[in-house]
């Protein structure tokens, strides 16, 4: 049974930084895709960043500001967010899968506001 638990969300000032972590458990050995998605109020869930077969990808809106990484010893998927903007405010979700994203966490709220 694969389980994902996000943490690290909170309130941050514009221009500030925040790091999200996704703790993974269960058999994830053959799950090759992992990533972060977000959903703002009234909006569709959107792609943020992913690691697929070891290669990283980013949405244009976060490229150069966010960094996705896998911490294998800790079994976590992390998202380092810098130069945060109010537009980044959303619930952030961690997801993993074999070919598609099959497993999802419950999300963690990030609010960027002054």
């Amino acid at each position: 049974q694969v389980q994902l638990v996000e943490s690290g969300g909170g309130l941050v000032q514009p221009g500030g930084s925040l790091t999200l972590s996704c703790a993974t458990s269960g058999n994830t050995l053959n799950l090759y895709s992992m990533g972060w998605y977000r959903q703002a109020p009234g909006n569709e869930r959107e792609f943020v960043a992913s690691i697929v077969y070891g290669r990283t990808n980013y949405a244009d809106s976060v490229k150069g500001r966010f960094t996705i990484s896998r911490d294998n010893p800790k079994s976590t998927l992390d998202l380092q967010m810098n130069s945060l903007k109010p537009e980044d405010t959303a619930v952030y979700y961690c997801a993993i899968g074999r070919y598609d994203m099959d497993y999802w966490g419950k999300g963690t709220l990030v609010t960027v506001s002054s």
Side-chain angles (χ1 to χ4, degrees), residues 37-46 48 88-93 109:
Y37 295 75
R38 68 187 183 187
Q39 186 170 22
N43 291 359
E44 296 283 338
R45 183 178 62 196
E46 66 176 354
V48 175
D88 295 318
T89 296
V91 176
Y92 284 70
Y93 298 90
L109 177 64

Side-chain angles (χ1 to χ4, degrees), residues 29-89:
L29 183 62
N30 296 318
L31 303 180
Y32 314 126
S33 300
M34 55 194 74
W36 287 94
Y37 295 75
R38 68 187 183 187
Q39 186 170 22
N43 291 359
E44 296 283 338
R45 183 178 62 196
E46 66 176 354
F47 166 80
V48 175
S50 69
I51 303 176
V52 181
Y53 289 99
R55 298 182 181 274
T56 59
N57 295 281
Y58 298 92
D60 289 341
S61 59
V62 306
K63 189 175 182 180
R65 299 188 298 120
F66 291 11
T67 302
I68 187 171
S69 62
R70 174 71 176 178
D71 190 332
N72 288 320
K74 295 181 179 179
S75 297
T76 62
L77 178 68
D78 302 323
L79 184 69
Q80 175 65 51
M81 306 183 293
N82 299 319
S83 301
L84 284 162
K85 306 174 180 179
E87 307 93 271
D88 295 318
T89 296

